[in-house]
Amino acid sequence: MSARITLHTTARILRQLRHDPRTIGLLLVVPALLLTLMRYVFDSQPAIFNRVGVTMLGVFPFIAMFLITSVAMLRERTTGTLERLLTTPVHKLDLLFGYALAFALAAAAQAAVAAGLAYALLDLATAGSAWTVAGLAIGNAVLGMAIGLLVSAFAQSEFQAVQFMPAFVLPQMLLCGLIWPRDQMAGWLETISNVMPMTYAVDALTEVSRHADPTATMWRDVAVVIGCIVVALLLGAATLRRRTS
């Protein structure tokens, strides 16, 4: 890997994002609007918003980054950009980690906007600190980015890339404990949920919402999420194709 090439890739992706107002809107505005909507859906039950809203600070960035990165990487292939880059000494990992760094910075901006809105204007209250919640939200966004880069290798068009969301994201949302406690599900569903990354992302945020100080469970969840990010990026590099047939 080359740090220079990785940083060059990061700068290129950030320039593309800067000139794409629709993507910026999806990154920064949509999660904030959805959190605001959720706040007033539970207007008469603020305790429910405190429980659900903190996990949504991680789930919304995960979904947004999954969509953006899966489509963006596919576009690199369909336009021939990826093929041209890979004819140079650029390694696949240079590209993927360049993407990871660029979207991690975008995720930090997204988390700052969403968490700032939730705590300052929507009266979100958690036992743990807002900084910890924001950090976990960034981690969840990077996780969504890594998985999006991985699954983009199996799509032939942008429409197919979007179709992967219900296949990869919705089952995780159903089984991660967000809707119903995992230990009250059928045993085989709980087993499946144990190998899904979003389970640990949501569990870490739940721990922060309930405990003032970081717990051992939260650190375990963070370690699993980081491990999933690394594995997804390595698999993404192994399956990355120069061009869509």
Side-chain angles (χ1 to χ4, degrees), residues 148-171:
L149 290 176
L150 172 61
V151 303
S152 70
F154 304 98
Q156 298 294 321
S157 66
E158 292 184 13
F159 180 66
Q160 286 185 5
V162 173
Q163 285 180 314
F164 277 120
M165 194 190 79
F168 283 86
V169 177
L170 293 185

Side-chain angles (χ1 to χ4, degrees), residues 132 136 204 207 213-226:
T132 305
L136 293 174
E207 287 291 302
D213 297 317
T215 64
T217 300
M218 190 209 79
W219 288 120
R220 180 210 63 185
D221 294 334
V222 169
V224 171
V225 169
I226 292 174

Side-chain angles (χ1 to χ4, degrees), residues 50 53-58 61 111-112 114-116 118-119 124-140 201 204-211 218:
N50 288 337
V54 68
T55 56
M56 288 297 101
L57 279 172
Y119 282 96
L124 179 67
T126 56
S129 72
W131 290 107
T132 305
V133 172
L136 293 174
I138 294 172
N140 291 351
L205 286 164
T206 301
E207 287 291 302
V208 176
S209 71
R210 295 176 178 175
H211 303 279
M218 190 209 79

Side-chain angles (χ1 to χ4, degrees), residues 10 31 35 60 69 82 152 154 212 215 219 236:
T10 298
L35 280 171
F60 289 154
T69 53
L82 189 59
S152 70
F154 304 98
T215 64
W219 288 120

Side-chain angles (χ1 to χ4, degrees), residues 6-242:
T6 298
L7 293 175
H8 177 76
T9 301
T10 298
R12 179 173 63 85
I13 299 304
L14 290 176
R15 285 195 300 269
Q16 292 176 354
L17 287 176
R18 187 181 63 184
H19 293 96
D20 188 348
R22 287 176 296 182
T23 299
I24 293 175
L26 180 59
L27 280 172
L28 302 181
V29 179
V30 172
L33 289 177
L34 291 174
L35 280 171
T36 302
L37 177 63
M38 180 171 291
R39 164 64 179 82
Y40 290 103
V41 166
F42 298 115
D43 190 43
S44 61
Q45 297 289 336
I48 296 179
F49 175 70
N50 288 337
R51 179 174 61 84
V52 178
V54 68
T55 56
M56 288 297 101
L57 279 172
V59 171
F60 289 154
F62 179 99
I63 295 173
M65 299 302 283
F66 177 92
L67 286 172
I68 290 169
T69 53
S70 59
V71 170
M73 179 55 79
L74 182 67
R75 192 174 296 164
E76 294 273 80
R77 295 206 316 268
T78 56
T79 59
T81 301
L82 189 59
E83 186 174 32
R84 291 192 296 272
L85 287 172
L86 291 178
T87 59
T88 68
V90 176
H91 194 275
K92 291 179 179 180
L93 281 177
D94 294 322
L95 291 176
L96 288 180
F97 279 96
Y99 265 87
L101 180 56
F103 284 109
L105 294 173
Q110 182 186 59
V113 171
L117 174 73
Y119 282 96
L121 299 179
L122 302 181
D123 300 322
L124 179 67
T126 56
S129 72
W131 290 107
T132 305
V133 172
L136 293 174
I138 294 172
N140 291 351
V142 175
L143 175 64
M145 174 274 301
I147 297 176
L149 290 176
L150 172 61
V151 303
S152 70
F154 304 98
Q156 298 294 321
S157 66
E158 292 184 13
F159 180 66
Q160 286 185 5
V162 173
Q163 285 180 314
F164 277 120
M165 194 190 79
F168 283 86
V169 177
L170 293 185
Q172 295 193 63
M173 290 185 65
L174 290 172
L175 299 180
C176 70
L178 177 63
I179 298 174
W180 192 252
R182 294 191 304 119
D183 57 5
Q184 297 182 32
M185 298 177 183
W188 61 277
L189 285 179
E190 184 179 3
T191 300
I192 293 174
S193 73
N194 288 335
V195 298
M196 291 184 167
M198 191 181 288
T199 296
Y200 300 93
V202 168
D203 191 55
L205 286 164
T206 301
E207 287 291 302
V208 176
S209 71
R210 295 176 178 175
H211 303 279
D213 297 317
T215 64
T217 300
M218 190 209 79
W219 288 120
R220 180 210 63 185
D221 294 334
V222 169
V224 171
V225 169
I226 292 174
C228 289
I229 291 171
V230 173
V231 169
L233 289 174
L234 293 176
L235 289 175
T239 58
L240 187 62
R241 293 176 292 160
R242 290 171 178 250

